[in-house]
Amino acid sequence: GAMRLDDFFEHLALVLMVLSAALPLARATNYVLPLLAALLMLANRRMHIDPLVRPYMVVVAAGLLLSPFANVLGFQDLYLILAGCSVALVGYRRLWSWNVLFVGALMGQFVTTLAMAGEMGLGAYIGAFQLDIMRSVSSLESNFSFVFGVLAVWAAYEKRWTGFLLALVMTVLTLKRIAVLGVLLCLMVQVLPRQLSRFILHPVTMIVVNGAGVALALMYGSGAFDTYIVQYTQQSANELGQGRQELIRFIVSEFLREPARFLAVGMGPGESYRMMKGGADWMAKQNLHADNLKILYEYGAIVFVAFFWALFAQRHFGVRLMALYVNVILLTDNTLIYPFFIYFATLAAACMA
């Protein structure tokens, strides 16, 4: 009956999420999840919206309302968000343990490393092995850094310090600098006096912080910090941001040209992809690598405020900590549309609640 189907769906989703994070060719398998979830919700005659799923549903609902302004890539974004939320929307029948998810992430990382070594040749891979945090270079770099970060925040919240250290080490080795920063910020907020940490994680505070973050991103894209970045890092601003400045500069020009529009509806779902091509439609799709800016650009200030309000309007402190980690990753990456990241973050938040 429905229970067996739900159970199978949760096993299938875990396997597909690990595979899609490990192998780019496996990402297309995520497209089956919203369809299966819809069938299960119809069979069960119910839909769940867990606390950390709410902000994602804000984007989906806004995307449907703004569909006249959307393009094909915008609709694809909405579908990918639904893929990440699929299990949570059906409702968790099993909350996987931290150990199971950690082992699953380790296995996924092993597959990723094997694929990279196979592509380069084992000898060449070992000979070229390097780890440089400042330049964000690691031979083990992978999407699993985001997942290990989720597990580190979860373990720290439950004061499982051995698990926290294991997950933190893996977050560093599979190097995404923003994931490491997210874990450390969450730990810092966790150990602050509870009244202060609750103030920091209040929706109003975080809306202001994210608004300031967007302003800084636009200033960075305009070149306002170029001199200081070169002076203190001996890298160009674009090099330090791994090409992000070049992507953002197209968005900056649009904000300056029509600022009032972004107070209302934005440019429409998927429009950031078109703008980053700079009018060259033949260019391949590029991601903005700044999801808070993407939300404001495509959906406008109203949805921007609603998203971050829904993200942090949580009764449980543990869920707010995971919301902070999610928020930090949004600043410099594309995890708004990474199904595997949404899946692991929302699942961990459900376990922490």
Side-chain angles (χ1 to χ4, degrees):
M3 286 183 65
R4 289 195 298 273
L5 287 173
D6 288 351
D7 201 45
F8 168 76
F9 180 63
E10 292 194 348
H11 282 80
L12 175 67
L14 177 59
V15 171
L16 293 185
M17 290 302 174
V18 170
L19 282 176
S20 65
L23 302 170
L25 289 175
R27 291 174 187 169
T29 59
N30 287 327
Y31 284 90
V32 74
L33 294 176
L35 298 175
L36 292 176
L39 291 174
L40 284 169
M41 285 186 285
L42 286 171
N44 295 336
R45 297 180 182 178
R46 64 178 182 271
M47 179 177 74
H48 296 262
I49 300 184
D50 273 28
L52 207 61
V53 173
R54 291 173 195 155
Y56 295 105
M57 291 301 100
V58 167
V59 175
V60 171
L64 295 176
L65 287 172
L66 296 175
S67 58
F69 304 104
N71 58 35
V72 172
L73 293 177
F75 286 118
Q76 183 185 48
D77 281 357
L78 300 179
Y79 197 83
L80 290 171
I81 292 172
L82 288 173
C85 294
S86 290
V87 177
L89 291 172
V90 171
Y92 297 110
R93 300 193 72 84
R94 167 187 280 103
L95 291 174
W96 298 105
S97 70
W98 188 95
N99 291 336
V100 167
L101 296 182
F102 184 73
V103 170
L106 284 177
M107 292 173 66
Q109 178 60 34
F110 181 68
V111 171
T112 300
T113 305
L114 277 182
M116 288 191 290
E119 186 176 337
M120 293 177 61
L122 183 59
Y125 177 77
I126 294 173
F129 188 90
Q130 55 182 324
L131 177 65
D132 186 330
I133 295 176
M134 280 305 297
R135 291 194 301 120
S136 193
V137 174
S138 171
S139 297
L140 294 172
E141 180 179 353
S142 80
N143 285 324
F144 284 101
S145 186
F146 299 127
V147 179
F148 287 121
V150 166
L151 295 172
V153 173
W154 179 6
Y157 175 70
E158 295 188 344
K159 296 182 172 58
R160 300 171 55 174
W161 299 116
T162 301
F164 168 74
L165 288 173
L166 286 171
L168 179 59
V169 167
M170 290 307 302
T171 306
V172 173
L173 290 177
T174 55
L175 192 58
K176 298 287 186 184
R177 287 179 299 185
I178 194 64
V180 177
L181 176 61
V183 171
L184 297 179
L185 279 176
C186 289
L187 181 63
M188 182 184 74
V189 171
Q190 180 180 330
V191 300
L192 288 173
R194 189 53 56 93
Q195 187 174 0
L196 177 58
S197 59
R198 288 190 181 279
F199 169 76
I200 292 171
L201 299 179
H202 191 278
V204 173
T205 306
M206 295 310 298
I207 288 167
V208 172
V209 168
N210 279 280
V214 165
L216 289 172
L218 292 174
M219 291 173 68
Y220 165 74
S222 70
F225 304 128
D226 286 8
T227 302
Y228 303 104
I229 290 172
V230 172
Q231 180 180 347
Y232 291 108
T233 70
Q234 285 73 57
Q235 300 179 74
S236 71
N238 195 50
E239 184 183 2
L240 180 67
Q242 296 185 297
R244 287 172 174 81
Q245 187 184 47
E246 192 67 22
L247 297 175
I248 293 173
R249 69 182 180 89
F250 292 113
I251 303 296
V252 172
S253 63
E254 198 68 18
F255 269 100
L256 294 175
R257 188 175 69 85
E258 201 176 358
R261 172 161 188 158
F262 299 98
L263 296 175
V265 296
M267 300 301 293
E271 281 300 297
S272 61
Y273 301 117
R274 184 190 62 79
M275 178 53 57
M276 283 185 294
K277 293 181 180 181
D281 291 336
W282 50 268
M283 287 181 63
K285 170 186 172 182
Q286 294 189 79
N287 289 305
L288 184 56
H289 292 279
D291 279 336
N292 56 346
L293 181 56
K294 173 185 172 75
I295 292 169
L296 181 60
Y297 181 80
E298 294 187 354
Y299 296 94
I302 295 172
V303 175
F304 179 89
V305 169
F307 176 85
F308 287 105
W309 185 276
L311 182 61
F312 285 98
Q314 313 288 352
R315 285 181 293 181
H316 199 284
F317 182 70
V319 180
R320 286 195 187 188
L321 279 176
M322 188 57 67
L324 176 62
Y325 178 74
V326 169
N327 192 164
V328 172
I329 305 302
L330 288 175
L331 298 178
T332 67
D333 229 286
N334 316 299
T335 48
L336 181 68
I337 58 166
Y338 284 178
F340 76 88
F341 178 78
I342 299 171
Y343 168 80
F344 280 104
T346 54
L347 174 58
C351 294
M352 293 164 70

